[in-house]
Amino acid sequence: MSNKIIYITFSSLLLLLSTPCWSQKDSLEVAIDSSKISIVDFSEDLSKKYTGEEFDYDTAEGETQNFLVRILDWFFEGLQSIFGVEVSPELTKLVENLIYILLIGFAIYLIIRVLAGKEAVSFFGKKNTIVAPINITEEHIEKINLDELIKNALKENNYRLAIRYMYLKTLQDLSIKKVIDYHFEKTNTDYYREIADVTLKQNFSRVSYLYDYIWYGKFELDESGYQSAKKSFDQLHTKMNSIG
């Protein structure tokens, strides 16, 4: 029983010691600010007062600007300093977008030229088979009078077009002799694989290279260059006639 009394007494002392005691001196007081407040009115023409370049926040600077924007800023700032012409940010943005469109268009043009130069298929998966003034989508190339077309091209000194017709004439003769199975969608590589004779295969590879380089590479050919290329075609036809 005495232990219980001691425990109660000890707990009561702890409770009294843990209870904060507030004296009158510790009471909180709220200070009242009695300073005079001055009301300032902004003038209505505030936007006209701050019109310098240091207050122009429409133009991004530093790392946020790419190379093209920096060039345009430099150019328009030059116009303003020399001629006093002030260009609005909206006009600068318009010029920037127009330049981007032109660059994208030029890139697409280069891609098309590269694809055409390699005699690649068009964007729709087929080669361009329209060749003035004939259409080689016909499966029976034997029906086309290529000798006459070569003759007319040479009369006009259009040696590049003459090489085009000479190559088609090569395919025509190979098809007639059953060396290849002609089809307008086949590639030079397809025909190369169909040729069994090793020497004829080499001759065909040579004229195919000349044809690609001159026609699809848009190489301007003079008479001397034409005669040099013609020797390779003559060698192929000589070999072709020798195998029956």
Side-chain angles (χ1 to χ4, degrees):
M1 186 69 178
S2 59
N3 292 334
K4 185 175 182 182
I5 295 173
I6 294 173
Y7 174 76
I8 295 173
T9 304
F10 182 74
S11 299
S12 300
L13 288 174
L14 289 177
L15 180 62
L16 290 174
L17 292 174
S18 62
T19 303
C21 298
W22 300 97
S23 63
Q24 188 175 2
K25 294 181 180 180
D26 294 331
S27 60
L28 297 177
E29 295 182 359
V30 179
I32 300 176
D33 187 1
S34 60
S35 60
K36 186 178 181 180
I37 299 175
S38 300
I39 300 176
V40 179
D41 295 327
F42 292 98
S43 60
E44 296 180 357
D45 58 346
L46 184 64
S47 59
K48 297 180 181 179
K49 182 179 180 181
Y50 301 98
T51 57
E53 294 182 355
E54 62 272 20
F55 301 103
D56 185 7
Y57 301 108
D58 292 329
T59 303
E61 296 181 356
E63 296 299 329
T64 60
Q65 291 178 298
N66 58 37
F67 184 69
L68 177 60
V69 175
R70 293 180 183 179
I71 292 178
L72 291 177
D73 288 344
W74 171 81
F75 176 75
F76 290 129
E77 287 175 2
L79 288 180
Q80 183 175 358
S81 61
I82 297 175
F83 302 103
V85 179
E86 185 175 354
V87 180
S88 64
E90 291 77 11
L91 180 58
T92 304
K93 190 65 176 178
L94 176 61
V95 174
E96 179 186 351
N97 291 334
L98 289 176
I99 294 177
Y100 285 139
I101 293 173
L102 291 175
L103 290 176
I104 293 173
F106 182 69
I108 293 174
Y109 168 76
L110 290 180
I111 292 173
I112 294 174
R113 287 292 302 271
V114 170
L115 292 178
K118 292 182 178 179
E119 198 186 3
V121 295
S122 68
F123 291 117
F124 300 100
K126 293 184 179 180
K127 292 182 293 185
N128 182 11
T129 56
I130 304 300
V131 182
I134 63 174
N135 187 332
I136 63 171
T137 57
E138 303 176 27
E139 294 191 23
H140 301 288
I141 197 174
E142 299 88 353
K143 298 179 181 180
I144 304 175
N145 189 351
L146 289 167
D147 289 323
E148 186 68 20
L149 293 174
I150 294 171
K151 182 179 178 180
N152 293 336
L154 292 175
K155 283 182 179 180
E156 298 175 358
N157 296 326
N158 193 341
Y159 300 110
R160 180 169 166 266
L161 184 59
I163 292 294
R164 168 67 166 170
Y165 292 145
M166 288 171 63
Y167 183 76
L168 294 177
K169 173 66 176 174
T170 298
L171 296 180
Q172 185 184 66
D173 292 342
L174 290 172
S175 177
I176 292 174
K177 290 182 175 292
K178 307 300 182 181
V179 177
I180 63 171
D181 182 18
Y182 174 79
H183 192 276
F184 68 92
E185 288 187 333
K186 285 185 177 181
T187 65
N188 299 344
T189 303
D190 294 329
Y191 295 128
Y192 177 83
R193 292 170 179 169
E194 294 178 8
I195 300 174
D197 186 88
V198 176
T199 304
L200 186 60
K201 187 187 287 283
Q202 292 174 350
N203 295 145
F204 180 78
S205 177
R206 173 62 180 171
V207 299
S208 296
Y209 169 78
L210 291 172
Y211 165 63
D212 287 343
Y213 180 72
I214 294 171
W215 181 254
Y216 289 100
K218 298 185 182 300
F219 180 78
E220 293 300 329
L221 199 65
D222 57 11
E223 183 177 2
S224 176
Y226 166 76
Q227 293 297 336
S228 178
K230 184 176 181 296
K231 292 179 182 179
S232 297
F233 284 90
D234 292 341
Q235 290 174 359
L236 184 145
H237 282 85
T238 300
K239 178 60 181 178
M240 188 191 314
N241 294 331
S242 68
I243 61 177

